[in-house]
Amino acid sequence: MADLLSRPGNRRARLRALLDAGEPVLAPGAYDALSARLVERAGFDAVYMTGFGTTAGLLGRPDVGLLSGTEMAANAGRLADAVDLPLIADADTGYGNPINVIRTVRDYERAGVAALHLEDQVMPKRCGHLAGKQVVPVGDMTAKIRAAVDARTDPDLLIIARTDAAAVDGLDAAIDRARRFADAGADLLFVEAPTSEADIERVAQELSGHRLVFNWAEGGRTPALSRDRLAELGFALVLFPVGTLLAATAGMTELLERLRADGTPAAMLDRLGGLDAFAEFAGIGEIRELEDAYRNDEGS
C-alpha cells in the first residue's frame, strides 16, 4: 500500500504487462482516495476512477456531465497519490473538441493515471447505462482519438476508446466505430452497454485481435458474466464501476437508520472496528514515525 514517501515504479508499463498476461485485469471502481486504498488493500492489481462515483462523491448527483475536466483530473491525481496501483480513469468525452482533448490527456497524464478512456457521446454526456444518450459523428471521435494519442508524452499511457453507439444506432454501428477508433491509434476498445450475452460474444468475435474492455456495471443494462467466461472471450480489462459506491451507500444508510432508531450505532461500529482500526489502516503508525524522524532532525 502506498505510504507518504513512496515512489511507485512505472505503473503504466506495469498495466501494459498485466494486460498482456492473458488473464482479464479486474479494476474495481473508486471515487475517492479512501476507496482507492481499500481496493489496493483487497489485493487487486489495478483501480478504476469511476465517473459515476466521482460525480456522486463530489456533488451527490447522477453522472450526467456535471463535472468539468479540471475537477475530474484533480480527483484522478488524489487517487493516484493514494495508491501504488495503476489507475485507469474516466475522462468522459475529453471535454470538448480535439484541442480540448489534448489538454485533458496532458492533465490526466500529469495526474499520474496509467490509462484513460474517452467516449463518443455528445456533451453533456450521461452514464452509459442511462437512457437518452446521443453520439457525435464518427469522424469527430476519430479526430479526438488521434489527438489523444498525439498528446501523450509517455508512450506507455494507454488510450481507451469507448463507444456508446450500441444504444443509439445499434451494435453494428458500435463495432464499426470501435474498428475506426483502433485505426486512429486507440490501445483498447470499449463497446459500452451491450444488452445480451449474444451481443457480448459478437463484440468479442468481431473485434478479436484487439485489447477489449468489459464494463461490469453493477445493476446496469449489460448481463453479468464470470471472469472465466470473459477470459474465454478475450476481454483484457474488466471494470466494476459502482459496486464500491453502492456498498458504501448501503452501509452508511444502515448506520444512520440505527442511529435514528436507537440513538446509538454502537453495535455496528463495534463490528467495524472503531477509530483505532481506521487509523491503523490509514497509516497512523507511519505518520508518527515520520513526525518523530523530522522532530529528531530538528533537534540535531
Side-chain angles (χ1 to χ4, degrees), residues 91 93-94 97-106 109 116-118 140-155 157-161 184-187:
T93 65
N97 63 23
I99 305 305
N100 301 101
V101 167
I102 291 171
R103 181 187 177 194
T104 296
V105 170
R106 294 285 173 88
E109 189 174 31
L116 61 91
H117 68 73
L118 299 166
D140 291 357
M141 187 61 184
T142 55
K144 288 187 182 186
I145 297 300
R146 288 196 304 272
V149 171
D150 290 343
R152 62 186 172 190
T153 62
D154 182 350
L157 175 67
L158 291 164
I159 305 298
I160 302 169
D187 299 293

Side-chain angles (χ1 to χ4, degrees), residues 20 41 43 66 71 89 129 181 185 188 215 217 223 242 245 248:
D20 288 338
R41 186 190 197 190
L66 298 174
E71 290 169 310
H129 291 258
F181 300 161
L188 289 94
N215 195 22
V242 297
L245 175 69

Side-chain angles (χ1 to χ4, degrees), residues 21 28 42 60 75 81 87 90 111 144 147 159 163 178 185 187 226 231 240 271:
N75 200 47
D81 282 345
L87 174 66
D90 186 347
K144 288 187 182 186
I159 305 298
T163 177
D187 299 293
S226 70
F240 297 86
R271 177 165 57 87

